[in-house]
Amino acid sequence: MNAKAVFLDRDKTILLPHGGEKYIYRVEDFFIPESYIEALRNLIESGFLLFVVTNQGRIAKGHLTEEDVEELHHCLDLILKYNGVFITKYEFCPHNPRGSLAPYNVICGCRKPKTGMIDVICDSRDIHKAGSWMVGDSEIDMLAGRNSGLRTIQVMTGSEYDSRYADFIEIDLVSAVSRILKEDEKSG
Ligand SMILES: [Zn+2]
């Protein structure tokens, strides 16, 4: 039996930066609203597997390390698990061809809008793509999702304009999850 999944962008999609901060590097840089945790729990209870797929190209610029990213995911995972939310896998891309730090400053197949991170997950698990979703705040998330054969929802908690590659546009993760559950019900 193949599983339906929701692929989640991380920064400004499930994690919001404190104050006016632009980037999320470390544990102290983010918060996750209670309502977001509840929404993610609703997805789990409706039978969706959850995956986080995030570009962390600032590793290639020397602003943070892979260990920083792992540590943040570990901490996030503790918070979520404590609240009944299980993320099946966290994938991140440390590459950025515009970075200066080897071996990360290369063109890779995983940096969104490329589909490498989603492909790896779908290939190693039996994911039913047509019943699955990509949720993110940016154009590159929508492109990666669409090119992977997923349905796409853009949340407006980042600073981007509406993407023409979004199947739906929602104000935040809570309304994105409501949309997924409604559409999932329709498709039976
Ligand atoms: Zn990469």
Side-chain angles (χ1 to χ4, degrees), residues 55 92-96 104 106-112 117:
N55 281 358
F92 68 93
C93 164
H95 308 111
N96 187 340
Y104 303 113
V106 293
I107 295 174
C108 65
C110 44
R111 181 174 166 80
K112 294 177 289 186
M117 290 190 283

Side-chain angles (χ1 to χ4, degrees), residues 84-102:
V85 175
F86 297 89
I87 303 288
T88 303
K89 188 101 204 302
Y90 295 80
E91 287 282 347
F92 68 93
C93 164
H95 308 111
N96 187 340
R98 284 173 298 166
S100 52
L101 191 65

Side-chain angles (χ1 to χ4, degrees), residues 130-150:
S132 298
W133 298 79
M134 174 76 216
V135 181
D137 66 302
S138 74
E139 175 99 338
I140 58 165
D141 296 316
M142 300 302 97
L143 258 174
R146 183 162 290 199
N147 288 336
S148 301
L150 310 173

